[in-house]
Amino acid sequence: MPATREWVASAAEDQAVARLAAADGRWNAACFHAQQASEKLLKGIRESRNQPVPRTHDLERLCEILQGEGVSAEPISVAAESLAADGVHVADADEARQALSLKDQVAAWASEHLAGHR
């Protein structure tokens, strides 16, 4: 499994691609990479806690797992639910902007739990 820093670096790459895609009007790609960045940050948190990283793309499930370990994922539960749907449908500009905003919420929350692992 990748180390925490690798999860964080991969998430940063997806964040950059999401922004580039949005700037280029590629709404579906922006939403997909926003979801991917969020997923990798959640997996990075799990890895940082020396826990096995589940093979899932389900953001809601990842939040539930973290909750079960005492990590309060409640602040990002709505964002995770919305982003989970963003990766699998045809998007428009508004949805892409919303996905980027939600990804930013997840990233801000995750940064608190990943301190020292960047």
Side-chain angles (χ1 to χ4, degrees), residues 26-91:
R26 298 179 186 276
W27 315 127
N28 296 332
C31 290
F32 174 77
H33 286 284
Q35 186 278 338
Q36 286 291 289
S38 299
E39 176 184 332
K40 290 171 184 175
L41 288 169
L42 295 177
K43 288 180 176 181
I45 292 169
R46 182 106 164 116
E47 177 72 28
S48 75
R49 298 171 58 77
N50 296 316
Q51 297 296 320
V53 177
R55 296 183 67 94
T56 182
H57 301 291
D58 186 338
L59 298 180
E60 292 174 277
R61 178 70 186 126
L62 290 167
C63 285
E64 288 171 6
I65 291 168
L66 290 169
Q67 282 280 134
E69 296 173 351
V71 177
S72 177
E74 186 62 33
I76 60 159
S77 63
V78 172
E81 182 180 346
S82 295
L83 282 166
D86 284 339
V88 295
H89 76 283
V90 177

